């Protein structure tokens, strides 16, 4: 057995609970979609859990007769995981910075419904200057429900022009 697999086998997961993961996001209720980070390694990967409840607002109208968790929420959860891994791999955002989605390529394979627990795993692909590229997948019970490739861009708020808010 080589040294690399032995080192990987002895590595302990590095979880972060909901309170800790909130420190990495500017989002607030009801827009924080991740429940827990189960493991991460800056510059490499992040794994998170999302527990789908029938009581979340987006389920109430999507769709009343057959509740389905919206794909747009899956994309947002993916972006939040990317934002956290990006910052963990570089530094936390300064007060005058934002992280914006540059691009997203997504595929959805199965619907996600109340009672499902999603395992989201993203992998850092490239970090150049203020751009972070990553890919990931979401599974429920070991079955793939979505896959993503995305990029994030870190920018100063002042570079966005005159604020409309």
């Amino acid at each position: 057995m080589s040294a690399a697999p032995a080192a990987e086998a002895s590595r302990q997961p590095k979880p972060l609970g909901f309170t800790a993961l909130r420190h990495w996001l500017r989002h607030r209720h009801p827009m924080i979609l991740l429940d827990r980070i189960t493991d991460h390694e800056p510059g490499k990967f992040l794994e998170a859990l999302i527990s789908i409840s029938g009581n979340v607002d987006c389920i109430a109208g999507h769709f009343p007769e057959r509740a389905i968790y919206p794909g747009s929420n899956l994309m947002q959860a993916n972006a939040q995981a990317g934002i956290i891994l990006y910052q963990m791999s570089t530094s936390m955002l300064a007060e005058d910075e934002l992280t914006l989605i540059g691009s997203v390529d997504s595929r959805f394979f199965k619907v996600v419904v109340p009672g499902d627990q999603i395992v989201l795993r993203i992998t850092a692909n490239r970090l150049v200057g203020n751009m972070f590229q990553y890919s990931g997948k979401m599974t429920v019970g070991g079955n793939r429900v979505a896959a993503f490739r995305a990029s994030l861009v870190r920018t100063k708020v002042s570079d966005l022009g005159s604020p409309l808010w």
Side-chain angles (χ1 to χ4, degrees):
M1 183 191 291
S2 69
E8 185 66 27
S10 66
R11 186 184 166 285
Q12 294 295 313
K14 296 184 245 178
L16 290 176
F18 183 76
T19 301
L21 78 79
R22 287 185 351 184
H23 293 292
W24 295 96
L25 295 171
R26 297 275 169 87
H27 306 78
R28 290 296 171 248
H29 176 78
M31 285 304 300
I32 296 178
L33 302 178
L34 305 175
D35 292 314
R36 176 181 306 152
I37 294 171
T38 56
D39 198 5
H40 67 281
E41 190 164 336
K44 294 188 177 181
F45 75 93
L46 182 138
E47 188 172 278
L49 291 179
I50 307 163
S51 297
I52 307 303
S53 169
N55 293 319
V56 295
D57 289 340
C58 66
I59 293 287
H62 196 265
F63 297 94
E65 66 281 359
R66 283 200 175 85
I68 296 173
Y69 193 69
S72 57
N73 284 36
L74 296 175
M75 290 172 51
Q76 178 64 31
N78 170 66
Q80 289 178 13
I83 289 167
I84 294 171
L85 182 57
Y86 186 9
Q87 291 180 86
M88 287 178 165
S89 303
T90 56
S91 63
M92 289 191 87
L93 291 172
E95 285 298 314
D96 64 341
E97 291 181 314
L98 290 174
T99 305
L100 303 174
I101 296 172
S103 66
V104 177
D105 180 18
S106 56
R107 295 205 51 199
F108 302 95
F109 303 101
K110 295 183 187 246
V111 296
V112 175
V113 297
D116 284 347
Q117 186 171 60
I118 300 168
V119 175
L120 164 59
R121 184 175 175 98
I122 62 168
T123 303
N125 295 337
R126 188 172 183 204
L127 177 58
V128 178
N130 68 340
M131 186 184 66
F132 179 64
Q133 295 176 334
Y134 65 101
S135 56
K137 69 177 183 174
M138 294 180 170
T139 59
V140 172
N143 297 311
R144 186 171 62 162
V145 296
F148 301 92
R149 281 187 309 218
S151 67
L152 299 170
V153 178
R154 187 178 211 155
T155 187
K156 294 210 177 275
V157 173
S158 60
D159 292 344
L160 299 174
S162 180
L164 300 174
W165 58 88

